[in-house]
Structures are given as C-alpha cells and as structure tokens.
C-alpha cells in the first residue's frame, strides 16, 4: 500500500523553522546589547541601532524570554527530526568524497540547485553542524547564566569567562551560518517559497534503510 | 487646433466605471484591506525589533517581558540547590582591592561613620534592638573566597569575612519561614533576596575584605556577600534589615532587572 505523498517541508517543520528564525534574531540582537556592557574584545562594540532591548535590562528581559522559545522549539525540532526519521533521510550519510566534490563544484559555480528536495554534502554538513553549534550555544548559555547551580557545566567551558567566550564564538558561528543561509536562499528563491508553502510533494520513504525520498510522479519514482 | 479627446483610448469606457462590482464585493474588499494592515503591522513589528527601536517600553510588550521575568524568578527558585556550595578559591587568586560597582561613580561615594552607624531591624524579627559596630564585631566570623559575577559580564575573586546571615537571623529571632530578607542602604540603594539564599552557607554580612575592615567604596561598615547571586544583589553600606512576606523589590529590580538574579 502506498502512503499519501507529503510536502518537502511538512507544516510542523515550517512552523518550527520560522519560530526558530524569530527567536534566534531576538537572541542575537539582545545578546549584542548584553555583550556591549562588558566587551570581550576592545575593538568590537555592536552599534545600538542593530541591538534589541534599548537598555541593558530590556536586552536581558528579551534574552531570557526568547531563550525559552528557542529551547522549547529546538527540543520539539530535535524530537521531530529523530522521530520522523527526517534527520536520517535528509542529513545522512555525509561522505567525504561527495563533500570534496560538492565544494569543488560550488567554488566553480557548478553546483546544481534544480532539485531542492535533495541536500548536497555541503548542505548536509552545514545543517548538521549548525544544529550542533546551537546545542553547544544553549549549553554555554546555561553555564554562564547559572555558574554556581551548574558549576560542573561551567568548569567544562573553562570557567565563567571561558563560557562567555564560547557563547560569543557560538553566536559568531550562527551569524556566519545565517549570512550564508540567507544569501543562498535569496539566490534560489524557490527554497524560501518551499519553507512557506511546503514545496514540492515528495513520496514518503518506503525503504527503511534511509533511501532519500523522490519527487512524486518523477520518472525515477519506484 | 482641435482639442484632443480626454479619452483617446478606444478601450476606455465612455460611461465611466461600473460601480456595481465594488458594491457587490464590499465585504471581500474590506477583508483584503484588513489582511494587508495585519501583514503590514507584522513586518513593521519585526523591523522595529531588528532596528533596536524602543519596542521594550511599549506597555503590552513590557508586561509580557515582566511576566516572563517573574516566571524566571520562580524557575530559579526551583533550581536553587540549597546545599550546593559555589566554587571557592585560594588566597593567591584574590584581587586587591575589589572592583567597585554602584549606580554612581566611585568619586561620589559618601563614607559611612562607623561611630554613629546603627543597623536597624524590622519586620518578622523577635529582637529588633539596633546593632552597633562594636556589638557586631562580637559575632562569630567566617571567611569565604568566592567569585563575584556582575550582570554586565565581569568577575573577580574576593576574600570576604563576616557573620553568616543565617547565624545572624537566628541570633535576632527572625522568622526563617518568611519569604524575603530586605536591605536598606546609606546611599538610598535597596535590595532583597529570597529566604533560601539568605540561609545558604555562603551568604554573609561582610565586615572585612582580605582580612582588613572593608574600605569605604566597598561598603564599610557592613555589606552583604552571597556566592549564589549576581553582584547587584549584594547591597553595601547596609543600615536596615527587614524580614517580610511582602515582595520588597529593590533599586535595580524596580528598573527591570530580574529579581532572583541567581548564579
């Protein structure tokens, strides 16, 4: 029996994606304001107009509000990704040879975006990588929020200032990812459409070994 | 010279536009208008947040943020480990002098005269007789070398000694089941902490730093030092202590900083 084909990005995933986008922007903007009060690098102050919260207390209020949204949404996303097998289907396997070939193609501007249902090796690595970075970012955030109650955790990050530095570098990695992610989405606008409307219908996975889903009605469909 | 017809196009109706379409679809048109306004306001809101405009002061947003901050108070109370000690350090790591912090500049510190200083007691306390410096110095002393962490992000290791707050509260017969311990200071600063933190082993009424009496900028003659809260929860130049079940707030807390502010 064949199951009904589903959109590339089912609705729970799209909802979680945009909640995450909003929460992440709030975390970054308010975090920059909090950072400004005691900078890690003398040469780096974030201009007030790109920060969120107005004053320090406002920024802290936003940060400690958006963290719940980000964490609860993130937990839901991880649960969804593992439970539905989406992570396994979309992100695995990541092969070194494919990665090297894709990087070479990307640099030569030869990487195809015709099929947005399929992630190339660079995308797989970036998406898995950013999920791990956000997990570490949440942990370092907990460590510097609760350096006494969670003193074991802050030790793991090399103490309070070590935790602050990890939290800053995590932010830098997320912002870096965001720049690339948004730029590529703008270059291939149908990916933005797909994250809003769901995108093309794909057949549900039939093969439990993690065979990638294929576009419905395509000639290669089984 | 012939005047050109105002309607040179043969496609333009001669009798004006048919208004009945508008009339028949009034509801639909109103709906489209509403949707656009909604969409516009959403993106405006997002834009305002991105540009750091002062959305925070908007009262509805402010009320949500304050409510989440209260929730965070309760959450921190829940995750507080009363028997868990903050890390302690060696004397070699102690920073001398400590780092100054207040809501004004160090040059504006008004020293407190130890000879006339009195500590007033109020609220759910059996013996409310005020305390002098001499009487205070007779209480048992303990020392903690602990990290001071400021909400701004800086920190230093300090060596504080004085009387354990629990010991003091027991001495004066305070109601240890009350919710809050509140402090008033000589510089009009005020603050309050939860009873669980007040009874924590590393919460002291400090009189000495690095074995010497605390100097003026750091709270002479008496200040609070707790290892489990941010710096601003440690009032200096304390002149009154109250044990109460009514939420007392505090200088920074009334200005939007999180009340529990636990570490």
């Amino acid at each position: 029996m064949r199951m009904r084909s589903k959109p590339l990005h089912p609705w729970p995933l799209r909802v979680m994606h945009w909640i995450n986008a909003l929460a992440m922007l709030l975390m970054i903007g308010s975090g920059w304001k909090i950072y400004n009060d005691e900078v890690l690098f003398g040469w780096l102050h974030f201009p007030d107009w790109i920060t969120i919260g107005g004053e320090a207390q406002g920024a802290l209020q936003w940060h400690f509000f958006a963290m719940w949204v980000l964490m609860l949404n993130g937990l839901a996303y991880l649960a969804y990704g593992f439970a539905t097998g989406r992570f396994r289907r979309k992100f695995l396997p990541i092969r070194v040879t494919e990665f090297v070939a894709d990087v070479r193609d990307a640099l030569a501007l030869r990487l195809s975006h015709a099929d947005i249902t399929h992630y190339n090796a660079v995308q797989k690595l970036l998406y898995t990588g950013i999920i791990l970075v956000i997990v570490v970012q949440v942990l370092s955030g907990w460590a510097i929020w609760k350096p006494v109650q969670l003193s074991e955790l802050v030790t793991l990050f090399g103490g309070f200032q070590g935790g602050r530095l990890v939290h800053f570098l995590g932010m830098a990695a997320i912002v870096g990812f965001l720049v690339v992610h948004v730029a590529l989405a703008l270059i291939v606008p149908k990916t933005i459409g797909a994250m809003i409307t769901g995108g093309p219908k794909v057949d549900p996975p039939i093969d439990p070994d993690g065979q990638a889903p294929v576009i419905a009605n395509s000639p290669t469909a089984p | 010279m012939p005047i050109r017809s105002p309607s040179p196009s043969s496609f333009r109706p001669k009798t004006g536009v048919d208004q009945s379409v508008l009339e028949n679809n009034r509801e639909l048109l109103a709906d489209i208008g509403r949707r656009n306004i909604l969409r516009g306001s959403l993106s405006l809101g997002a834009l305002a947040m991105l540009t750091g405009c002062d959305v925070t002061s908007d009262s509805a947003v402010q009320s949500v943020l304050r409510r989440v901050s209260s929730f965070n108070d309760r959450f921190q109370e829940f995750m507080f480990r009363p028997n868990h000690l903050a890390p302690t350090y060696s004397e070699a790591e102690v920073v001398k002098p400590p780092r100054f912090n207040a809501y004004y500049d160090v040059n504006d510190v008004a020293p407190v005269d130890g000879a006339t200083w009195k500590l007033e007691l109020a609220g759910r306390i059996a013996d409310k007789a005020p305390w002098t410096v001499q009487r205070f110095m007779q209480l048992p002393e303990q020392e903690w070398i602990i990290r001071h962490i400021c909400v701004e992000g800086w920190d230093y290791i300090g060596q504080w000694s004085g009387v354990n707050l629990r010991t003091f509260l027991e001495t004066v017969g305070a109601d240890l089941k009350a919710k809050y311990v509140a402090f008033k200071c000589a510089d009009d600063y005020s603050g309050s902490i939860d009873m669980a933190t007040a009874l924590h082993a590393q919460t002291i009424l400090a009189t000495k730093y690095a074995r010497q009496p605390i100097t003026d900028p750091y709270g002479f003659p008496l200040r609070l030092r707790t290892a489990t809260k941010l710096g601003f929860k440690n009032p200096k130049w304390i002149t009154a202590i109250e044990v109460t079940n009514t939420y007392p707030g505090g200088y920074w807390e009334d200005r939007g900083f999180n009340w529990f502010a636990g570490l």
Side-chain angles (χ1 to χ4, degrees):
Chain A
M1 194 185 80
R2 279 180 72 103
M3 286 189 292
R4 202 163 52 87
S5 66
K6 284 185 166 175
L8 167 64
H9 302 311
W11 70 265
L13 189 107
R14 283 176 271 150
V15 169
M16 290 186 288
H17 172 270
W18 292 111
I19 290 178
N20 182 65
L22 182 64
M24 196 54 99
L25 288 178
L26 286 173
M27 289 305 273
I28 293 169
S30 57
W32 286 349
K33 179 71 193 166
I34 296 166
Y35 165 93
N36 275 351
D37 266 347
E38 178 68 15
V39 298
L40 285 161
F41 309 101
W43 48 268
L44 181 64
H45 292 256
F46 295 99
D48 267 347
W49 62 269
I50 50 165
T51 67
I52 290 168
E55 291 181 79
Q57 50 267 59
L60 286 160
Q61 286 177 348
W62 276 111
H63 209 70
F64 291 101
F65 158 67
M67 71 166 187
W68 292 119
V69 180
L70 186 91
M71 277 193 294
L72 295 175
N73 186 65
L75 283 175
Y77 172 75
L78 290 178
Y80 179 90
F82 284 117
T84 62
R86 183 181 171 89
F87 286 159
R88 185 170 42 77
R89 287 197 309 274
K90 288 274 173 202
F91 298 152
L92 296 179
I94 304 173
R95 294 201 178 87
V96 179
T97 47
E98 281 176 29
F99 178 76
V100 173
D102 286 345
V103 168
R104 196 175 297 147
D105 284 352
L107 293 177
L109 302 176
R110 272 192 284 117
L111 208 54
S112 167
H113 295 293
D115 177 11
I116 62 167
T117 65
H118 223 106
Y119 290 143
N120 63 51
V122 179
Q123 283 175 304
K124 286 176 177 178
L125 196 73
L126 273 181
Y127 287 136
T128 342
I130 198 64
I131 292 170
L132 293 176
V133 166
I134 294 171
V135 168
V136 173
Q137 185 71 346
V138 168
L139 290 177
S140 64
W142 275 100
I144 58 177
W145 187 39
K146 293 281 156 268
V148 172
Q149 304 310 317
L150 306 177
S151 50
E152 300 85 352
L153 186 63
V154 83
T155 306
L156 212 69
F157 288 108
F160 179 69
Q161 293 300 337
R164 280 189 77 210
L165 183 62
V166 171
H167 204 57
F168 178 91
L169 295 175
M171 177 280 294
I174 292 165
V175 170
F177 169 85
L178 209 57
V179 169
V180 174
H181 182 63
V182 171
L184 289 180
L186 290 174
I187 291 171
V188 192
K190 64 181 168 183
T191 57
I192 305 175
M195 197 45 91
I196 294 167
T197 62
K201 299 273 189 213
V202 289
D203 277 343
I206 294 156
D207 170 5
D209 299 335
Q211 192 188 331
V214 289
I215 300 172
N217 306 324
S218 81
T220 55
Chain B
M1 200 168 142
I3 298 166
R4 278 192 66 183
S5 155
S7 179
S9 167
S10 54
F11 297 103
R12 187 171 288 184
K14 303 275 184 289
T15 53
V17 180
D18 180 10
Q19 297 287 329
S20 67
V21 182
L22 278 170
E23 220 41 44
N24 296 339
N25 295 288
R26 190 176 287 277
E27 270 180 47
L28 182 67
L29 284 167
D31 186 46
I32 290 168
R34 266 203 302 277
R35 261 186 264 167
N36 282 336
I37 289 165
L38 197 67
R39 200 176 296 150
S41 64
L42 275 176
S43 54
L44 251 183
L47 207 67
M49 280 190 288
L50 285 174
T51 54
C53 289
D54 211 0
V55 182
T56 316
S57 59
D58 178 76
S59 63
V61 175
Q62 187 59 51
S63 126
V64 170
L65 291 176
R66 291 240 177 187
R67 234 172 293 160
V68 173
S69 190
S70 306
F71 167 79
N72 287 339
D73 285 339
R74 290 195 297 281
F75 182 83
Q76 292 174 90
E77 239 164 304
F78 163 76
M79 78 173 290
F80 181 72
R81 297 150 79 183
N83 298 317
H84 177 70
L85 292 185
T88 53
Y89 304 88
S90 75
E91 253 185 282
E93 294 169 279
V94 173
V95 172
K96 294 175 205 170
R99 184 163 168 174
F100 174 78
N101 63 306
Y103 63 93
Y104 44 81
D105 192 78
V106 65
N107 297 316
D108 297 329
V109 170
V112 171
D113 180 4
T116 57
W117 176 85
K118 274 195 171 62
L119 177 69
E120 312 272 349
L121 299 180
R124 306 176 68 83
I125 291 175
D127 179 6
K128 293 198 182 83
W131 287 66
T132 60
V133 170
Q134 289 73 22
R135 195 174 163 212
F136 217 91
M137 289 301 180
Q138 284 158 20
L139 289 167
E141 193 179 271
Q142 59 172 230
E143 179 186 284
W144 291 107
I145 301 181
I146 47 177
R147 189 180 293 277
H148 174 121
I149 295 179
C150 177
V151 68
E152 292 176 338
W154 50 267
D155 69 307
Y156 71 89
I157 291 166
Q159 179 182 17
W160 303 92
S161 26
V163 60
N164 182 274
L165 182 56
R166 176 196 275 269
T167 308
F168 180 77
L169 291 175
E170 283 169 353
T171 305
V172 297
D175 174 8
L176 302 185
K177 295 215 156 43
K179 282 188 185 165
Y180 310 102
V181 180
F183 303 89
K184 283 196 166 40
C185 307
D187 63 344
D188 288 336
Y189 188 79
S190 61
S192 57
I193 59 172
D194 55 299
M195 185 57 82
T197 301
L199 301 180
H200 187 262
Q202 291 166 308
T203 301
I204 63 172
L205 290 169
T207 50
K208 288 178 186 162
Y209 187 81
R211 306 248 166 89
Q212 301 298 316
I214 294 176
T215 50
D216 289 326
Y218 309 106
F220 176 84
L222 190 72
R223 68 166 295 169
L224 186 71
R225 255 324 265 131
T226 166
T228 61
K229 284 202 189 291
L230 286 169
F232 76 89
K233 301 298 290 185
N234 295 261
K236 301 183 281 287
W237 311 285
I238 297 171
T239 54
I241 298 178
E242 182 185 7
V243 175
T244 176
N245 282 319
T246 313
Y247 174 72
Y251 182 88
W252 287 119
E253 295 85 338
D254 298 347
R255 286 160 176 79
F257 282 91
N258 177 254
W259 173 74
F260 195 91
L263 289 176

